[in-house]
Coordinates of all heavy atoms in Angstrom, one line a residue:
K309 N -26.3 34.6 -25.7 CA -25.9 33.4 -26.4 C -24.7 32.8 -25.9 O -23.8 33.4 -25.4 CB -25.8 33.6 -27.9 CG -27.0 34.0 -28.6 CD -26.8 34.2 -30.1 CE -28.2 34.8 -30.8 NZ -27.8 34.9 -32.1
I310 N -24.6 31.4 -26.0 CA -23.3 30.8 -25.6 C -22.3 30.8 -26.8 O -22.1 29.9 -27.6 CB -23.7 29.3 -25.3 CG1 -24.6 29.2 -24.2 CG2 -22.4 28.6 -24.6 CD1 -25.2 27.8 -23.9
K311 N -21.7 32.0 -26.9 CA -20.9 32.2 -28.0 C -19.5 32.9 -27.5 O -19.6 33.3 -26.4 CB -21.5 33.1 -29.0 CG -22.7 32.7 -29.8 CD -23.3 33.5 -30.7 CE -22.5 34.0 -31.8 NZ -23.1 34.9 -32.8
G312 N -18.5 32.8 -28.3 CA -17.2 33.4 -27.9 C -17.0 34.8 -28.2 O -16.1 35.4 -27.7
D313 N -18.1 35.4 -28.8 CA -17.9 36.9 -29.3 C -17.7 37.7 -28.1 O -16.8 38.8 -28.2 CB -19.1 37.3 -30.2 CG -19.3 36.4 -31.4 OD1 -19.7 35.2 -31.3 OD2 -18.7 36.8 -32.5
T314 N -18.6 37.7 -27.1 CA -18.4 38.6 -25.9 C -17.1 38.4 -25.2 O -16.5 39.3 -24.7 CB -19.7 38.4 -25.1 OG1 -20.9 38.6 -25.7 CG2 -19.5 39.3 -23.8
L315 N -16.8 37.0 -25.2 CA -15.5 36.8 -24.4 C -14.3 37.4 -25.1 O -13.4 37.9 -24.4 CB -15.3 35.3 -24.1 CG -16.1 34.7 -22.9 CD1 -17.6 34.6 -23.3 CD2 -15.6 33.3 -22.8
I316 N -14.3 37.2 -26.4 CA -13.2 37.7 -27.1 C -13.0 39.4 -27.1 O -12.0 39.9 -26.9 CB -13.2 37.3 -28.7 CG1 -12.0 37.9 -29.4 CG2 -14.4 38.0 -29.4 CD1 -11.9 37.4 -30.8
C317 N -14.3 40.0 -27.1 CA -14.3 41.5 -26.8 C -13.7 41.7 -25.6 O -13.0 42.7 -25.3 CB -15.7 41.9 -27.0 SG -16.3 41.9 -28.7
F318 N -14.2 41.1 -24.6 CA -13.6 41.3 -23.1 C -12.1 41.3 -23.0 O -11.5 42.2 -22.6 CB -14.3 40.3 -22.2 CG -13.8 40.4 -20.8 CD1 -14.6 41.3 -19.9 CD2 -12.7 39.7 -20.3 CE1 -14.1 41.4 -18.5 CE2 -12.3 39.9 -18.9 CZ -13.0 40.6 -18.1
F319 N -11.5 40.2 -23.6 CA -10.1 40.1 -23.4 C -9.3 40.9 -24.4 O -8.2 41.3 -24.1 CB -9.7 38.5 -23.5 CG -10.1 37.7 -22.4 CD1 -11.1 36.8 -22.4 CD2 -9.4 37.7 -21.2 CE1 -11.5 36.1 -21.4 CE2 -9.7 37.0 -20.1 CZ -10.7 36.1 -20.1
V320 N -9.9 41.2 -25.6 CA -9.2 42.1 -26.5 C -9.1 43.5 -25.7 O -8.1 44.2 -25.8 CB -9.9 42.2 -27.8 CG1 -9.6 43.5 -28.5 CG2 -9.6 41.0 -28.7
L321 N -10.3 44.0 -25.3 CA -10.2 45.2 -24.6 C -9.4 45.3 -23.3 O -8.7 46.3 -23.1 CB -11.7 45.6 -24.2 CG -12.0 47.1 -23.8 CD1 -11.5 48.1 -24.8 CD2 -13.4 47.4 -23.5
L322 N -9.3 44.2 -22.5 CA -8.4 44.2 -21.5 C -7.0 44.2 -21.9 O -6.1 44.9 -21.3 CB -8.7 42.8 -20.8 CG -8.1 42.7 -19.4 CD1 -8.6 43.7 -18.5 CD2 -8.5 41.3 -18.6
S323 N -6.7 43.6 -23.0 CA -5.3 43.7 -23.6 C -4.9 45.1 -24.1 O -3.9 45.7 -23.8 CB -5.2 42.7 -24.7 OG -4.0 42.9 -25.4
F324 N -6.0 45.7 -24.8 CA -6.0 47.0 -25.2 C -5.6 48.1 -24.0 O -4.8 49.0 -24.2 CB -7.1 47.5 -25.9 CG -7.1 48.9 -26.4 CD1 -6.2 49.3 -27.5 CD2 -7.9 49.8 -25.8 CE1 -6.2 50.6 -27.9 CE2 -8.0 51.1 -26.3 CZ -7.0 51.5 -27.4
I325 N -6.3 47.9 -22.8 CA -6.1 48.9 -21.7 C -4.5 48.8 -21.3 O -4.0 49.8 -21.1 CB -6.9 48.5 -20.6 CG1 -8.4 49.0 -21.0 CG2 -6.5 49.2 -19.3 CD1 -9.5 48.4 -20.0
F326 N -4.0 47.6 -21.3 CA -2.6 47.6 -21.0 C -1.7 48.1 -22.2 O -0.6 48.5 -21.8 CB -2.1 46.2 -20.6 CG -2.7 45.7 -19.3 CD1 -3.8 44.9 -19.1 CD2 -2.1 46.1 -18.1 CE1 -4.4 44.7 -17.8 CE2 -2.5 45.8 -16.9 CZ -3.6 45.0 -16.7
M327 N -2.2 48.0 -23.4 CA -1.4 48.6 -24.5 C -1.4 50.3 -24.2 O -0.4 50.8 -24.6 CB -2.1 48.4 -25.7 CG -1.9 46.9 -26.2 SD -2.7 46.5 -27.8 CE -2.9 44.8 -27.7

Side-chain angles (χ1 to χ4, degrees):
K309 295 180 179 179
I310 309 174
K311 298 173 63 176
D313 299 82
T314 300
L315 277 72
I316 187 181
C317 289
F318 178 89
F319 285 106
V320 160
L321 190 52
L322 194 53
S323 177
F324 177 70
I325 288 173
F326 284 101
M327 292 178 195

